[in-house]
């Protein structure tokens, strides 16, 4: 039986107004699904205007026009293609000057 923590993805939205919120999303990949399939799914989602997070007690709709950044943990692995910087390292975390 796989560890439950390994089957969860944490998605954090950073909004233009400085707020952020995180969600956990269960990940139950098929035996045939590869890490590349998951990467392609997220790249496809990034092109959508709205993301819908279906919670147990409510539905949250996120307008991506109000989002500055999306973080996904754990990493989706080594993505390849246009607009991807391989082997990047974070020097400083996102700061907001006031």
């Amino acid at each position: 039986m796989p560890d439950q923590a390994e089957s969860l993805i944490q998605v954090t939205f950073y909004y233009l107004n400085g707020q952020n919120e995180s969600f956990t999303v269960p990940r139950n990949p098929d035996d045939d699904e590869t890490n590349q399939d998951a990467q392609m799914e997220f790249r496809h989602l990034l092109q959508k205007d709205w993301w819908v997070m279906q919670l147990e007690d409510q539905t949250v709709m996120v307008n991506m026009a109000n989002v500055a950044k999306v973080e996904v943990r754990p990493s989706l692995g080594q993505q390849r293609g246009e607009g991807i910087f391989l082997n990047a390292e974070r020097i400083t975390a996102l700061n907001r000057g006031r």
Side-chain angles (χ1 to χ4, degrees), residues 4-12 22-29 33 35 38-39 41-42 51 53 70-76:
Q4 183 180 7
E6 291 178 355
S7 64
L8 292 178
I9 294 175
Q10 178 180 320
V11 180
T12 303
S22 297
F23 299 89
T24 56
V25 179
R27 187 83 182 136
N28 298 317
E33 183 178 358
N35 193 37
Q39 294 171 12
E41 182 179 339
F42 268 92
W51 285 23
M53 309 303 280
V70 177
E71 286 185 355
V72 178
R73 290 177 190 231
S75 173
L76 294 175

Side-chain angles (χ1 to χ4, degrees), residues 62-82:
V62 178
N63 183 339
M64 295 306 286
N66 295 320
V67 174
K69 179 173 84 168
V70 177
E71 286 185 355
V72 178
R73 290 177 190 231
S75 173
L76 294 175
Q78 289 292 327
Q79 297 193 52
R80 302 212 186 294
E82 186 177 340

Side-chain angles (χ1 to χ4, degrees), residues 54-97:
Q54 184 61 56
L55 308 178
E56 186 175 316
D57 61 339
Q58 65 179 319
T59 301
V60 178
M61 298 175 204
V62 178
N63 183 339
M64 295 306 286
N66 295 320
V67 174
K69 179 173 84 168
V70 177
E71 286 185 355
V72 178
R73 290 177 190 231
S75 173
L76 294 175
Q78 289 292 327
Q79 297 193 52
R80 302 212 186 294
E82 186 177 340
I84 305 288
F85 293 92
L86 298 177
N87 301 317
E89 293 183 30
R90 187 183 307 242
I91 304 287
T92 61
L94 180 66
N95 292 316
R96 189 167 186 93

